[in-house]
Every structure is written in structure tokens, then in C-alpha cells.
Amino acid sequence: LSNYAKLFAKEYGAHKIRMNNVLPGYIDSYPADLKTIEQIPLLRQGTPGEIADLVKYLALDNSSYITGQDFIIDGGFTRSN
């Protein structure tokens, strides 16, 4: 997906079409066990609202210069492993 977003961004950017990847971690709509939560630096699961806030920002004109990027939103889990 990462490479696809970059290719898409390059091909369609001139048409003001942007593409980014949102990569959520453990979200509280699906329970994780305590051992997993203890590995998340923020010591909690994310919420659907937190993911939605990022997606909403990426859809705004304020982010019009952002394309072809991966956004990992996982409370630091990826870096902690």
C-alpha cells in the first residue's frame, strides 16, 4: 500500500488528487489483551474518533500539500517493538 500511495500521488498530484495511508494500531472497538496494551507506549488503545480526526485533517485544505505518505497512528506501538 505504501508504494501504491506514492505511485498514485505522483501520477495524479497534478490533478489535485492526493492519496495517503492511515495505518491504525489497536483500536478500542476490538479489545486487546493486557499484555498487548502494556507494549503500547501510551498504555491504552486508540479510539475510532482519534483515527477519524486524522482522516478528517487529511481531507481538509490545511493538508493540501500532503500526499503519498503513511500515517501510523498506534500510540507508539510500532517503535516500541
Side-chain angles (χ1 to χ4, degrees):
L1 285 178
S2 182
N3 288 335
Y4 179 74
K6 291 179 188 327
L7 289 170
F8 188 99
K10 182 178 180 181
E11 185 160 338
Y12 295 103
H15 302 285
K16 298 184 180 180
I17 298 172
R18 298 177 288 132
M19 182 173 193
N20 295 292
N21 291 317
V22 175
L23 309 167
Y26 290 94
I27 304 305
D28 68 6
S29 58
Y30 184 82
D33 59 46
L34 184 58
K35 183 178 177 181
T36 299
I37 293 173
E38 288 173 346
Q39 293 179 37
I40 301 170
L42 294 181
L43 297 176
R44 66 176 181 84
Q45 291 178 266
T47 67
E50 290 170 318
I51 305 304
D53 286 343
L54 173 59
V55 172
K56 182 170 65 173
Y57 173 73
L58 291 172
L60 294 173
D61 287 339
N62 292 352
S63 68
S64 63
Y65 201 58
I66 301 172
T67 191
Q69 301 302 308
D70 296 324
F71 291 90
I72 301 170
I73 180 168
D74 68 356
F77 182 78
T78 302
R79 292 187 59 90
S80 69
N81 289 330

